[in-house]
Amino acid sequence: MGTVNRVAVVTGGSRGIGRAVAERLARDGQVVVVVYASNDTEAKATVDAIEAAGGRASAVRADVADEAAIAALFDATEREFGGVDVVVNAAGIMTLTPVAEMDLDALDRMHRTNVRGAFVVAREAARRLRPGGALVNFSTSQTRLLSPTYAAYAASKAAVEALTPVLAKEMRGRDVTVNAVAPGPTATDLFFNGKDEAAIERFAKLNPMERLGTPDDIAEVVSALAGPARWVNGQTVYVNGGVA
């Protein structure tokens, strides 16, 4: 019998950091299910890139906050590939505004994806991950940097940082790790949106490496947590080039 591939589900996997993670896990030999919110073209491009590099992938459109859709996604993955070994919770949205000017509908939308969505996906992962599995959530270094306008976003990700070690403890006896990665300023469309050149340069200089992170920088750490790094558990790993 041949080698059985590990199977990874990556939410937010069609663009930015999520896409880099999907492509990296595929290079690591994992079968990847790319979960995306709306952009069919970007999802197809991600799957095509993985397959062109010799990997195996499929794409599923689903709202991470919809528990029925996420349960159906896991059902389909188990039917097609035999099970789920890795779940990467990379879907997220970011609205930046001072607290005094915060639009509460925007707050609710962000928390629906970043908090409820993280819980819905984590809940399904907790029920389904096979022994030797890993759940990797996404936080942000803004839970430490605490820059003006980031209150609502950082609050949504602080919830993820609280969820992560609690779930790690709840998985006792299952041989499943639960960790979070917290990127610093990273060169993605999500980061660049609404920032002028001066702001981008300021963020790039925050760390001693004096550059923005790249999606591949983040994917490298996810790759370790999703595979060989079995003794890291219940942690939030700050992947930011040394920002304080």
Side-chain angles (χ1 to χ4, degrees), residues 17-240:
I17 293 171
R19 175 171 176 167
V21 167
E23 293 184 357
R24 174 58 186 263
L25 294 183
R27 287 201 303 276
D28 292 343
Q30 303 207 32
V31 176
V32 179
V33 177
V34 174
V35 185
Y36 66 103
S38 60
N39 194 313
D40 299 326
T41 304
E42 286 181 339
K44 184 179 185 305
T46 304
V47 170
D48 288 349
I50 288 170
E51 291 179 341
R56 197 168 160 209
S58 64
V60 178
R61 185 170 180 164
D63 173 2
V64 291
D66 179 341
E67 65 270 36
I70 295 303
L73 157 72
F74 275 79
D75 286 341
T77 302
E78 289 175 343
R79 277 196 308 274
E80 187 171 355
F81 301 119
V84 181
D85 302 285
V86 172
V87 174
V88 181
N89 232 336
I93 59 177
M94 181 169 68
T95 301
L96 303 182
T97 187
V99 172
E101 298 165 20
M102 189 74 210
D103 176 81
L104 295 182
D105 287 339
L107 177 74
D108 289 343
R109 282 194 301 275
M110 185 160 54
H111 279 244
R112 186 175 187 279
T113 295
N114 296 3
V115 181
R116 179 187 166 96
F119 267 82
V120 168
V121 173
R123 185 177 75 161
E124 215 57 50
R127 294 169 173 176
R128 312 260 197 153
L129 282 169
R130 294 189 285 203
L135 168 62
V136 183
N137 291 319
F138 263 75
S139 180
T140 171
S141 289
Q142 280 296 339
T143 58
R144 286 185 176 177
L145 291 172
L146 305 172
S147 303
T149 75
Y150 278 86
Y153 180 68
S156 73
K157 292 301 189 176
V160 175
E161 291 195 17
L163 158 69
T164 297
V166 173
L167 182 53
K169 292 173 182 174
E170 291 175 355
M171 298 299 283
R172 176 179 294 275
R174 293 272 303 278
D175 187 25
V176 168
T177 61
V178 183
N179 293 290
V181 294
T186 305
T188 65
D189 290 343
L190 186 71
F191 170 76
F192 289 130
N193 185 36
K195 294 183 177 70
D196 60 22
E197 283 298 322
I200 292 166
E201 183 69 13
R202 193 165 62 250
F203 275 107
K205 291 287 171 62
L206 285 176
N207 70 75
M209 315 294 277
E210 295 192 334
R211 68 170 175 85
L212 294 175
T214 68
D216 287 341
D217 289 328
I218 314 304
E220 184 170 36
V221 178
V222 175
S223 170
L225 294 174
R230 301 302 299 163
W231 205 235
V232 182
N233 194 18
Q235 307 301 311
T236 296
V237 181
Y238 288 83
V239 189
N240 59 27

